[in-house]
Amino acid sequence: MPVPVSQMWTVSTYVLRQKLAGRKQYPLVLMLEPLFRCNLACAGCGKIQYPAHILKKDLTPEECFRAVEECGAPMVSIPGGEPLMHPQIGEIVEGLVARKKYIYLCTNALLLKEKIGLFKPSKYLTFSVHLDGQREEHDLAVCREGGYDIAVDAVREALKRGFRVTTNTTLFDGANPKSVRAFFDEMMELGVEGMMLSPGYSYDKAPDQKHFLGRARTRRMFRAILSNRKKEWKFNLSPLFLEFLMGKKTYPCTPWGMPTYNVFGWQKPCYLLQDGYAESFSELLATTEWSKYGTESGNPACANCMVHSGYEASAVDAIYSSLGGFLATVKGTFSRYRDDEALRMLEEPVAAVNPLVQIAVAETLQETRV
């Protein structure tokens, strides 16, 4: 089982309470960014492109706790930047554990062995280690040779000490489906609790724009990767979201499902787009023009997005919205998704892996067809 029963129960009862109360806009996961600075400079990342005076800023533990309590979501994801660079990250995590929030501390793991003494194993704390595939693919994606080996060594250390560990993988155009499937095998052998997946999203500030996937290519790639799956593979995502990636389900975006709080405040409308900020979570809900966002809105900035921060909450909501959604989830939990065409896709030639590189002019992505 990829997550503890207590976490599943907490999330399930929370969502059902929102349903019974008639709330249509409720948060599932708070994306808490306590800083933007990082010890990597990935070409596909738009977080470290801020000026130096912004990169020096940190949220205080008190600001983090206030945001968590105001939002009320049962889970907190701590991305960045690199959270382990925050001088008070141990205090922040300790405070969230005391509040019985399920925390996913997202890290590239370069500092994990050095900083692991700041934390205590808990069912509420998971290290979500960023690994973008096998050794060569990961090192090219993060623009650092040796990054994979450091991260895997840190995962082993965290598991040995009794911590929960998952992986978080972002896939870009040109990813080799056979290599990704081999990566799944490696992670299961390593002993991680589960794996998270998401297609790369074209941050406006990202130096490299040409490797981001359009929707049709995303569906085709994930169909090849996730069909005919092995029973040993464990994913830390809802089965319906994985079906969404494969093109078997369609959902509207739920941008308020994973709201973002960072050094600027509550980010409108979501983790990926910056169209202003609100001073409170209630103001974020009340003043954001939600109809302007999501693929169905016609907003070109949303045209190709299939990222978990917008659609995982949609899939979870679908589970509890009807008996059909619940039954589809049960079926998806045990399905291997036999697909002969997807097997043939795995044998198609794949272009040689090339590093993500900075380009002079960002290329505009449009909805693509295959």
Side-chain angles (χ1 to χ4, degrees):
M1 187 174 293
V3 295
V5 172
S6 61
Q7 181 175 333
M8 296 174 63
W9 176 256
T10 296
V11 173
S12 296
T13 54
Y14 168 82
V15 174
L16 288 172
R17 284 199 306 272
Q18 309 310 308
K19 293 287 187 182
L20 291 172
R23 297 190 186 98
K24 294 184 177 181
Q25 294 180 336
Y26 61 89
L28 184 67
V29 180
L30 170 60
M31 308 292 282
L32 179 66
E33 292 182 295
L35 79 174
F36 290 135
R37 65 185 177 277
C38 189
N39 49 2
L40 286 176
C42 307
C45 177
K47 295 294 182 178
I48 63 167
Q49 310 303 323
Y50 290 101
H53 72 282
I54 298 297
L55 293 177
K56 291 178 181 178
K57 290 187 175 183
D58 299 321
L59 289 178
T60 67
E62 291 73 24
E63 288 173 322
C64 293
F65 302 151
R66 186 164 58 248
V68 167
E69 291 167 358
E70 183 182 358
C71 176
M75 295 185 287
V76 179
S77 177
I78 307 180
E82 170 52 54
L84 293 180
M85 295 180 70
H86 193 293
Q88 295 173 288
I89 190 61
E91 183 180 341
I92 291 171
V93 168
E94 183 179 11
L96 297 183
V97 168
R99 288 164 173 79
K100 297 184 177 180
K101 299 295 182 181
Y102 286 93
I103 308 151
Y104 285 86
L105 195 159
C106 305
T107 176
N108 57 40
L110 296 181
L111 294 173
L112 184 53
K113 288 186 72 173
E114 176 186 336
K115 302 283 188 177
I116 201 167
L118 297 173
F119 309 100
K120 297 178 182 177
S122 167
K123 69 178 183 180
Y124 294 108
L125 172 62
T126 301
F127 291 117
S128 180
V129 177
H130 187 84
L131 282 165
D132 282 339
Q134 293 184 287
R135 180 180 287 104
E136 181 183 6
E137 286 79 5
H138 174 78
D139 287 357
L140 288 171
V142 302
C143 305
R144 171 161 175 165
E145 188 174 351
Y148 177 90
D149 291 331
I150 294 172
V152 167
D153 186 45
V155 168
R156 290 195 181 98
E157 179 66 23
L159 291 171
K160 184 174 71 174
R161 294 187 181 218
F163 287 96
R164 295 177 59 193
V165 182
T166 62
T167 56
N168 187 355
T169 301
T170 304
L171 298 176
F172 295 90
D173 197 13
N176 184 331
K178 289 185 76 171
S179 176
V180 175
R181 290 168 65 89
F183 167 74
F184 293 166
D185 291 337
E186 291 176 5
M187 293 303 102
M188 292 296 95
E189 279 186 34
L190 191 57
V192 302
E193 179 180 286
M195 302 175 289
M196 292 182 64
L197 300 170
S198 188
Y201 180 81
S202 53
Y203 288 101
D204 288 341
K205 294 180 180 292
D208 189 301
Q209 294 287 322
K210 68 181 180 180
H211 287 85
F212 294 105
L213 284 158
R215 275 200 155 205
R217 292 178 67 84
T218 295
R219 297 183 190 109
R220 194 174 195 278
M221 181 177 73
F222 279 98
R223 179 185 174 189
I225 292 169
L226 295 172
S227 297
N228 308 294
R229 70 185 65 163
K230 299 181 181 180
K231 64 180 181 180
E232 295 85 6
W233 295 348
K234 297 186 176 89
F235 296 101
N236 195 33
L237 293 162
S238 71
L240 299 189
F241 176 71
L242 295 177
E243 289 189 1
F244 168 74
L245 292 179
M246 297 166 71
K248 295 180 177 293
K249 290 281 191 297
T250 58
Y251 296 113
C253 178
T254 306
W256 56 81
M258 296 189 183
T260 297
Y261 184 78
N262 56 39
V263 297
F264 296 124
W266 293 93
Q267 184 170 305
K268 298 183 180 182
C270 67
Y271 182 66
L272 301 168
L273 297 181
Q274 296 167 294
D275 282 351
Y277 293 86
E279 293 186 5
S280 67
F281 180 65
S282 58
E283 180 186 331
L284 175 75
L285 289 181
T287 62
T288 305
E289 295 184 68
W290 301 109
S291 62
K292 290 185 176 182
Y293 303 101
T295 309
E296 61 281 358
S297 70
N299 187 332
C302 304
N304 287 288
C305 181
M306 295 181 72
V307 179
H308 77 280
S309 61
Y311 292 93
E312 171 74 351
S314 306
V316 171
D317 185 78
I319 296 171
Y320 300 94
S321 294
S322 68
L323 178 60
F326 175 76
L327 293 176
T329 301
V330 174
K331 180 180 178 182
T333 300
F334 299 101
S335 177
R336 304 276 77 84
Y337 297 95
R338 177 70 183 176
D339 184 335
D340 292 338
E341 176 61 26
L343 285 175
R344 286 190 285 272
M345 291 180 192
L346 293 175
E347 301 307 318
E348 293 176 357
V350 178
V353 176
N354 294 305
L356 298 177
V357 294
Q358 184 166 351
I359 57 178
V361 181
E363 298 174 5
T364 302
L365 285 173
Q366 301 296 330
E367 176 80 357
T368 55
R369 304 290 177 191
V370 292

